[in-house]
Amino acid sequence: MIRTLTDEDRMIAEVAGELFVGHPVIPATDEPVARYDAATWRHAAEVGLSALAMPADLDGIEGFAALGEVLVAAGAALSPLPLVGSVVTAQQLIALSVAGEHRAALLGGLMAGTSIGTLVAGHRGGAVRVEARPGGPRLTGAVDAVPDGVTADLVLVTAAGPEGVTLYRIDPADAGFTATRTRSVDLTREYARVELAGCAAQPIPTHELAAALSRVEDLATVARACEQLGAARRCLEMTTAHVRDRIQFGRALGSFQAVKHQCADLAVALDDAESAVSHAIWASGESPESLPVAAAMAGAVCARVAYRAADTAVHLHGGIGFTWEHPAHLYFRRAVSDTAVYGDENHFRERFLAASGIPSPNASNDDPGPSPQRSPHQQGVTP
């Protein structure tokens, strides 16, 4: 099955596309600096981007279809806005696992755009430990590759304790909290290393948190697949425009058979990615039980296509494609960084097998399970 878009969905995507005009912005440096400011995000929230895929009883816009279209546009522009980290990950986790007045209180500022949220997945691999103290629980540990970890003012942390995984809220102003921007291959996203040193934490009442975390991971995979689809589309557009206009040996570069074949093969691969994303978005709303399989499929296909499209763009642009002044390298950096932090095609194939109930040939009996996210620096792919 594939998604169907309403007129409202298309209108929202069109407005979002206008916000992204002029992106990507080629940075002056590869130092880890702020990629956007609160004013920019508030402007985006005013047109409803922060309320996408949120409950209707909180004046949200239900359904993932409109958000998917916005994410495709964001990926094409390599937008630095916190759509995946805040709107998809943090807000979806709250909407799925927190009820009543707690949910409304946490989502209010996020949906209005006055706050930015992030999730520190400390339960993975026991990265964050919980210590019971007289004044309340304290958290200790460190997690890399936290999106918008410095910018966010609503910080959620998951940690495993004696009673299982618990969701906590921490105050970024707490003396035990440190968030440091880290160098990344991707110059259009913000990543941070979050360190907790006895940080005071407020437990948040939740229900079915484990199921919510699993669904949020799938939704985040779909969201990144949407961005990767948009980035791949833009790479193909840039490349075909260049080879059409570039004259080489008295002929348009695109008239050479080898160049034609590369562009045609990439166009076919994009069709595959489009189908995988459409199915995953449909599954997110209409068939939740099939979402894990659909998300893994979209993740595998789009991770491959985004890298291939960016690599092709760099090479077919010739000498200019290797320069700092041309945006091709930003798309390549995004593709490499996504693979390093969130997983490559093989990672998502493993998830596909697991979600399908098929034993993986690479799995072992003592498999410790998912490992914590690693920063691009840890993966050995720093600039």
Side-chain angles (χ1 to χ4, degrees):
M1 299 294 291
I2 61 173
R3 73 188 187 277
T4 56
L5 297 174
T6 65
D7 290 340
E8 182 183 21
D9 295 338
R10 293 187 178 90
M11 181 186 69
I12 292 171
E14 183 178 348
V15 172
E18 294 173 358
L19 286 175
F20 302 141
V21 170
H23 290 269
V25 176
I26 299 174
T29 175
D30 61 357
E31 292 300 314
V33 298
R35 302 300 177 189
Y36 65 95
D37 54 29
T40 304
W41 178 235
R42 282 196 299 271
H43 180 56
E46 288 172 0
V47 299
L49 299 195
S50 57
L52 293 173
M54 286 289 98
D57 61 317
L58 296 178
D59 296 326
I61 302 171
E62 290 190 319
F64 208 82
L67 178 56
E69 287 298 295
V70 169
L71 287 164
V72 171
L78 297 184
S79 172
L81 295 179
L83 289 165
V84 177
S86 186
V87 177
V88 178
T89 305
Q91 291 180 211
Q92 284 292 333
L93 182 59
I94 295 169
L96 291 169
S97 66
V98 182
E101 60 183 18
H102 294 286
R103 183 180 71 161
L106 289 170
L107 285 177
L110 295 175
M111 292 176 59
T114 56
S115 294
I116 295 170
T118 192
L119 173 65
V120 181
H123 68 287
R124 292 176 174 172
V128 175
R129 303 184 304 278
V130 183
E131 302 173 9
R133 296 188 185 179
R138 300 275 176 160
L139 303 181
T140 300
V143 177
D144 283 302
V146 176
D148 309 299
V150 174
T151 309
D153 45 19
L154 176 63
V155 181
L156 304 175
V157 181
T158 55
E163 299 179 359
V165 178
T166 303
L167 181 65
Y168 298 91
R169 178 180 182 176
I170 61 175
D171 183 357
D174 189 284
F177 175 85
T178 304
T180 306
R181 288 190 180 92
T182 53
R183 291 176 63 90
S184 170
V185 172
D186 188 354
L187 303 182
T188 59
R189 286 201 209 271
E190 289 188 33
Y191 288 110
R193 175 178 173 83
V194 170
E195 297 178 279
L196 307 172
C199 185
Q202 174 189 351
I204 300 175
T206 59
H207 57 90
E208 299 183 355
L209 179 59
L213 285 168
S214 179
R215 179 171 172 81
V216 166
E217 182 176 8
D218 289 331
L219 290 175
T221 297
V222 175
R224 285 189 294 271
C226 289
E227 287 190 329
Q228 289 166 338
L229 172 62
R233 280 182 183 170
R234 180 60 61 83
C235 285
L236 181 59
E237 291 169 1
M238 289 192 305
T239 303
T240 52
H242 176 75
V243 299
R244 181 186 62 238
D245 298 336
R246 171 68 173 168
I247 303 301
Q248 191 78 28
F249 304 111
R251 296 169 52 184
L253 184 61
S255 67
F256 291 95
Q257 189 176 49
V259 176
K260 286 182 183 178
H261 285 180
Q262 289 187 64
C263 292
D265 289 346
L266 184 55
V268 172
L270 270 170
D271 281 346
D272 292 340
E274 175 74 41
S275 296
V277 165
S278 293
H279 178 65
I281 292 176
W282 170 84
S284 68
E286 303 298 328
S287 182
E289 67 280 0
S290 64
L291 178 59
V293 171
M297 187 187 311
V301 173
C302 291
R304 178 182 70 242
V305 170
Y307 183 93
R308 180 178 176 183
D311 183 64
T312 300
V314 169
H315 285 86
L316 289 188
H317 274 83
I320 193 175
F322 289 83
T323 65
W324 184 274
E325 291 75 13
H326 194 279
H329 70 99
L330 296 179
Y331 290 90
F332 187 78
R333 286 168 176 269
R334 170 68 68 90
V336 170
S337 181
D338 279 356
T339 297
V341 178
Y342 302 111
D344 60 6
E345 180 183 0
N346 290 332
H347 165 78
F348 289 109
R349 284 180 173 180
E350 295 287 340
R351 278 180 54 179
F352 177 87
L353 292 175
S356 303
I358 302 173
S360 169
N362 297 324
S364 61
N365 294 330
D366 58 350
D367 185 359
S371 60
Q373 291 179 344
R374 291 179 289 172
S375 70
H377 178 77
Q378 289 177 300
Q379 292 282 356
V381 289
T382 49

